[in-house]
């Protein structure tokens, strides 16, 4: 099973190269002509998802609060990474699949980065999602890592759920 075919039913926060937890495969539904549930939901999800810029700003604030607590410099918002992250969050909401950007896609999207990491997740509350990130050593390392820019995209999906993509970078 590849990371691109995995999907999770519970709130999940993952990062590129992090082994996925207990996620099941996206499997075709009977009579769906080979389409996965995510494929069938993509058009409906895209219509329901709307940008949540206030939540994206909150996510950046939470990240920088965590960095300040460790005496690290805050990350600067990066418009190029924000645009990429917003499109990633829209894709997550549309498909319902927690899959990461391929490194070459991220490299093309953020010209000039010398290092990067991506966290993605979904759930009803950004503060809770941030706390879950901090509890994971790999995600905590991203938040506190050697980055100087960040882009956060948040969209409000159906059922009071936010889909979040965070791209950390160093220029």
């Amino acid at each position: 099973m590849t990371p691109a075919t995995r999907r999770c039913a519970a709130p999940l926060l993952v990062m590129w190269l992090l082994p996925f937890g207990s996620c099941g495969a996206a499997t075709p539904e009977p009579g769906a002509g080979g389409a996965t549930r995510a494929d069938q939901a993509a058009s409906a999800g895209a219509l329901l998802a709307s940008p949540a810029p206030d939540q994206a700003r909150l996510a950046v604030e939470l990240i920088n609060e965590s960095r300040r607590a460790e005496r690290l410099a805050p990350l600067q918002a990066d418009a190029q990474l924000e645009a990429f992250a917003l499109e990633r969050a829209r894709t997550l909401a549309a498909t319902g699949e927690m899959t990461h950007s391929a490194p070459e896609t991220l490299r093309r999207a953020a010209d000039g980065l010398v290092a990067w990491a991506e966290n993605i997740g979904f759930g009803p509350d950004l503060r809770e999602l941030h706390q879950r990130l901090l509890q994971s050593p790999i995600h905590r390392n991203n938040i506190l890592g050697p980055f100087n820019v960040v882009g956060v995209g948040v969209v409000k999906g159906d059922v009071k759920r936010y889909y979040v993509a965070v791209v950390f970078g160093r220029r």
Side-chain angles (χ1 to χ4, degrees):
M1 186 180 321
T2 65
T5 62
R6 296 182 181 197
R7 68 190 299 234
C8 296
L12 176 71
L13 297 161
V14 289
M15 148 194 147
W16 184 251
L17 299 179
L18 172 67
F20 287 82
S22 57
C23 298
T27 56
E29 287 190 40
T36 66
R37 288 184 186 113
D39 293 334
Q40 294 170 346
S43 59
L47 294 174
L48 293 174
S50 59
D54 291 343
Q55 295 298 308
R57 282 189 291 278
L58 173 61
V60 172
E61 289 172 18
L62 293 170
I63 289 166
N64 282 330
E65 283 175 15
S66 295
R67 291 180 63 85
R68 278 190 295 278
E70 297 294 325
R71 297 187 175 150
L72 297 170
L75 302 178
Q76 298 301 311
D78 182 283
Q80 190 176 20
L81 293 181
E82 286 175 357
F84 180 81
L86 181 57
E87 284 307 308
R88 290 288 300 126
R90 284 183 174 142
T91 299
L92 298 172
T95 64
E97 293 185 10
M98 293 292 103
T99 57
H100 285 283
S101 302
E104 58 276 0
T105 302
L106 188 52
R107 189 177 303 123
R108 282 193 307 269
D111 189 38
L113 289 181
V114 295
W116 63 87
E118 177 186 66
N119 292 339
I120 58 176
F122 65 90
D125 181 79
L126 259 60
R127 290 181 189 280
E128 177 185 330
L129 289 175
H130 183 72
Q131 287 306 309
R132 288 179 186 254
L133 281 170
L134 289 174
Q135 293 169 5
S136 161
I138 293 174
H139 295 105
R140 183 177 178 83
N141 287 342
N142 278 350
I143 293 168
L144 305 177
F147 303 112
N148 59 8
V149 292
V150 67
V152 177
V154 180
V155 296
K156 177 103 168 134
D158 59 344
V159 195
K160 299 180 183 179
R161 181 180 292 169
Y162 292 103
Y163 291 85
V164 182
V166 181
V167 181
F168 299 92
R170 185 172 69 225
R171 293 196 184 277

